[in-house]
Amino acid sequence: MKPSPAHSCKNCGKAYDTIFSKVAAPEFNLLSESKLIRHYNNREIVFNEGGKAQGIFCIREGKVKIYKNGIDGIEHITRIAMQGELMGIKAILSGHPYSVSAATIEDTTICFIPKNIFFQLTFRSPQFNQAIILFLSNLLENAETRMLSLAHKHVKQRLAEALIFLVQNFNPATYPNSKLYLNITRHDLANLIGTSSETVIRFLGEMKDDGIIAVKGRKIFILDHSGLSKISAFPH
Amino acid sequence: MKPSPAHSCKNCGKAYDTIFSKVAAPEFNLLSESKLIRHYNNREIVFNEGGKAQGIFCIREGKVKIYKNGIDGIEHITRIAMQGELMGIKAILSGHPYSVSAATIEDTTICFIPKNIFFQLTFRSPQFNQAIILFLSNLLENAETRMLSLAHKHVKQRLAEALIFLVQNFNPATYPNSKLYLNITRHDLANLIGTSSETVIRFLGEMKDDGIIAVKGRKIFILDHSGLSKISAFPH
DNA sequence: ATCAAAAACTGATTTATGTCATTTTTTTTG
DNA sequence: CAAAAAAAATGACATAAATCAGTTTTTGAT
């Protein structure tokens, strides 16, 4: 992780749109000038479960997995955070240590907003508060949908769901022949849907046989989007 | 469901403490005078998935299950809301229809805060916004913990967890001999932890054989709280 | 380009839990 | 209080997915 030169929040497309666009000028400038930009390589830790929060993080570019570690060392990914999303809000608000860990899953640029600046914004800007409320309620909506899947869907359905989510949200890399692909380990995929990597591999194999995806090493090519939708909706 | 006479929000212990205590006088009075008190019998619907939100609900007394219906009619309880908790916030904020349904699981009194009053509060009271933010972030924390359980714990562990939660939060009724008991259907218990009622019954049977609980009809008596904790923490 | 480490993959086996069918008991309602 | 409806309980069976143990392939670092 290394600091980068300053940069206005106005040029940070997605985060600006979702969180900061309605914040009035004085508060916006405070934010823009106080934030610290940091660059992380793939697989770097941003913060750790149990650590003390000093501020909040806002992703400028890249992806971060947010996860919890179970007793037996099994990791569960509660969320994959992307451009324009905030991380570490709960810990700041509650004053408790982080309840989750965060690690990059690709090269990522993150802005850090120190605690005192964050609280100045919440005191002074109702618009900022309302944006935070909306952001949290979206996270909650997603969490509830995923609870339902974990509770009542089969692994293959959850896998199809996860692939759809990933391909829609990941601006995935494109291959020379302009085919979309995902670059994610079977292990991370397993921890996202609550299963073992062997089981992920087996179902990816089935989908490959059915012509829905193609696999080349770690890369997963999505060939038939509507085939994935069918799997995610119906049993088996 | 029937309306009741007005009543100040100041006397509504838990909700007052968690949400409204820091709201300044003018806004507090607006809230207190505008809310509508309604009484619901056990098993009444408060709102339905897909319905349009006209305001938010705040539980004065009683319990409400918040649930989603899967394609196959299987219901998943995302949360059991209790005294002082809000319901229906996401739908109001997003303007979308309710993404969940709500039904009482005991006789319950609920205050209804009309949409326009709610928005006046969010415009005028930063303290109100901050309380909402804190409330949502607690819901999110719980949702994440339950996601982890659903993804990585066995049914018996989740059942033990659920019993602990219920007995701690439900001010459960006491029997003549002053033993705590829960009065909840096996069906609701199953839908809370994502399993079938038969499986719940079987594991309750095991716990009964081990002297951790006693069962009398629908009633579940908690005999050994630390026994439940052990089950919830360790496999098998 | 090479090599070590990590990840992907495969097969055999076990286990937890779902499903179905039926009986008994409890709860609810008139 | 009795009858009807709902829920609890039980057994047999089917199956999804975990686990274990091993091989092959890919990846990432030098």
Side-chain angles (χ1 to χ4, degrees), chain B residues 42-109:
Chain B
N42 190 11
R43 279 156 204 275
E44 277 195 87
I45 304 273
V46 182
F47 56 80
N48 253 316
E49 196 170 345
K52 193 154 172 271
Q54 312 287 353
I56 65 166
F57 298 89
C58 178
I59 301 176
R60 169 180 276 280
E61 185 73 56
K63 271 116 208 166
V64 178
K65 67 174 174 185
I66 316 272
Y67 58 99
K68 268 178 185 268
N69 279 60
I71 330 144
D72 39 7
I74 289 174
E75 141 189 333
H76 179 70
I77 300 179
T78 55
R79 161 183 164 222
I80 293 186
M82 294 173 280
Q83 193 182 52
E85 292 188 37
L86 303 176
M87 303 185 292
I89 288 211
K90 274 185 316 184
I92 280 294
L93 289 167
S94 67
H96 297 157
Y98 288 117
S99 63
V100 290
S101 303
T104 57
I105 55 171
E106 52 184 63
D107 292 0
T108 299
T109 307

Side-chain angles (χ1 to χ4, degrees), chain A residues 42-92:
Chain A
N42 189 11
R43 279 156 203 273
E44 277 195 87
I45 303 276
V46 182
F47 55 80
N48 254 315
E49 196 171 343
K52 195 156 171 267
Q54 312 286 353
I56 66 165
F57 298 89
C58 178
I59 302 176
R60 169 180 275 281
E61 185 73 55
K63 274 114 206 166
V64 178
K65 67 174 175 185
I66 316 273
Y67 59 98
K68 269 178 185 266
N69 280 62
I71 329 145
D72 38 9
I74 290 175
E75 141 189 335
H76 179 71
I77 299 179
T78 56
R79 160 185 165 223
I80 294 187
M82 294 173 280
Q83 194 182 51
E85 291 188 39
L86 303 176
M87 303 185 292
I89 288 211
K90 277 185 317 185
I92 280 293

Side-chain angles (χ1 to χ4, degrees), chain B residues 18 21 50 57-58 62 72 82 116 128 134 147 149 181 195 198 203 215 235:
Chain B
T18 54
S21 63
F57 298 89
C58 178
D72 39 7
M82 294 173 280
N116 66 319
F128 182 71
L134 198 54
M147 266 174 58
S149 292
Y181 74 87
T195 188
E198 292 96 323
F203 284 124
V215 172

Side-chain angles (χ1 to χ4, degrees), chain A residues 121-182:
Chain A
L121 287 170
T122 69
F123 285 133
R124 295 202 221 152
S125 173
Q127 296 87 352
F128 182 72
N129 281 333
Q130 282 165 14
I132 299 281
I133 288 174
L134 199 54
F135 175 70
L136 286 174
S137 89
N138 285 332
L139 286 187
L140 193 56
E141 174 78 30
N142 290 339
E144 284 175 357
T145 304
R146 287 192 59 203
M147 267 176 56
L148 187 65
S149 293
L150 285 167
H152 291 296
K153 288 192 172 181
H154 289 184
V155 171
K156 192 171 181 181
Q157 296 178 278
R158 303 205 299 268
L159 178 58
E161 265 179 6
L163 293 178
I164 291 170
F165 167 82
L166 292 172
V167 84
Q168 281 177 347
N169 292 283
F170 261 53
N171 308 66
T174 39
Y175 227 51
N177 55 5
S178 87
K179 282 269 190 300
L180 291 176
Y181 74 87
L182 300 171

Side-chain angles (χ1 to χ4, degrees), chain B residues 186-233:
Chain B
R186 308 293 179 261
H187 182 243
D188 277 350
L189 215 36
N191 291 337
L192 188 58
I193 64 177
T195 188
S196 65
S197 52
E198 292 96 323
T199 301
V200 165
I201 289 165
R202 272 181 253 277
F203 284 124
L204 286 177
E206 286 187 16
M207 291 177 183
K208 193 175 67 179
D209 294 346
D210 294 344
I212 291 167
I213 62 171
V215 172
K216 191 164 193 177
R218 178 169 304 159
K219 295 182 185 68
I220 300 169
F221 296 82
I222 309 298
L223 305 178
D224 177 2
H225 198 281
S226 83
L228 285 180
S229 300
K230 273 180 208 137
I231 292 173
S232 81

